[in-house]
Amino acid sequence: MKRPEEDEDGFRALVQQEWVSLTRTAFLLTGDRDYAEDLVQAALEKTHRRWGSVAHLDSPRAYVRRVMINTATSWRRRRSFGELPQEPTEAVYLPGGFEQVEQRQQLLAALQLLPPKMRAVLVLSYFEDLPDQQIAEAMGSSVATVKSQRSRGLGRLREQIGVSPLFDTAVQEG
């Protein structure tokens, strides 16, 4: 059995290795950098409390990801301070290299309009590049639900942004 300080070293290593990736995923789930950092910290705090059992899992990162998704979903349900996401702005042609930046901004705004679990499926599919089975495990659902949520989520994004080759490229590039 590991000594407590060895368990702490394992947790510290997880945080150091995964912080950037977890923060990126949290940003895509929340749409706000401050909320994203709060979400990662909350998920890591919950994980740390159970680290003795989590450290022995095949993928502690997958556990943290699931905690993040559940926490983001519960935060969204509890949000009662009246914040509403803004509708995506109409695309404006900007000469030069700004079109891709504008497209990404529209994509991020459109993601925020999706329900939390649908957004999580899209983020884990296209930005984390996870297979359906791992997404289903992270979401606590079936592979069929993941596929259905992804299909409906992409449909809603296409309705909001419009179908264009740039949209598909922005989704694929993450």
Side-chain angles (χ1 to χ4, degrees):
M1 182 157 187
K2 289 186 177 182
R3 296 187 322 245
E5 55 272 4
E6 290 174 342
D7 278 348
E8 286 297 317
D9 290 342
F11 182 76
R12 279 191 203 97
L14 173 78
V15 172
Q16 289 173 346
Q17 292 170 357
E18 302 296 339
W19 178 262
V20 172
S21 175
L22 291 170
T23 304
R24 180 187 66 233
T25 300
F27 174 74
L28 293 167
L29 291 171
T30 63
D32 182 274
R33 292 193 193 286
D34 293 328
Y35 284 140
E37 288 185 1
D38 290 347
L39 178 59
V40 173
Q41 289 177 2
L44 289 172
E45 178 184 345
K46 291 175 183 179
T47 301
H48 186 260
R49 281 189 239 144
R50 297 187 41 101
W51 186 247
S53 59
V54 172
H56 305 294
L57 297 175
D58 288 339
S59 177
R61 182 179 189 270
Y63 179 87
V64 175
R65 190 184 304 119
R66 183 170 186 167
V67 170
M68 256 181 17
I69 291 167
N70 291 340
T71 303
T73 301
S74 71
W75 282 3
R76 177 136 177 163
R77 270 190 236 123
R78 282 188 295 178
R79 230 195 276 185
S80 61
F81 45 83
E83 276 190 37
L84 296 173
Q86 294 182 344
E87 291 293 321
T89 57
E90 293 298 318
V92 177
Y93 177 77
L94 299 171
F98 294 106
E99 291 138 352
Q100 192 173 24
V101 172
E102 177 69 21
Q103 182 114 28
R104 286 180 185 269
Q105 291 299 329
Q106 286 180 335
L107 177 59
L108 289 174
L111 269 174
Q112 294 311 304
L113 297 175
L114 297 177
K117 290 188 179 193
M118 190 178 290
R119 180 180 335 128
V121 167
L122 292 176
V123 167
L124 295 176
S125 291
Y126 295 103
F127 294 91
E128 290 287 323
D129 200 26
L130 294 179
D132 291 346
Q133 183 61 41
Q134 285 184 3
I135 296 169
E137 290 169 8
M139 303 287 298
S141 64
S142 69
V143 171
T145 300
V146 168
K147 290 179 179 182
S148 154
Q149 291 282 317
R150 181 176 40 245
S151 176
R152 291 192 344 230
L154 286 173
R156 285 190 188 181
L157 288 177
R158 284 188 175 102
E159 286 173 8
Q160 292 173 16
I161 298 175
V163 179
S164 78
L166 288 176
F167 167 73
D168 291 330
T169 301
V171 169
Q172 290 170 358
E173 290 177 358

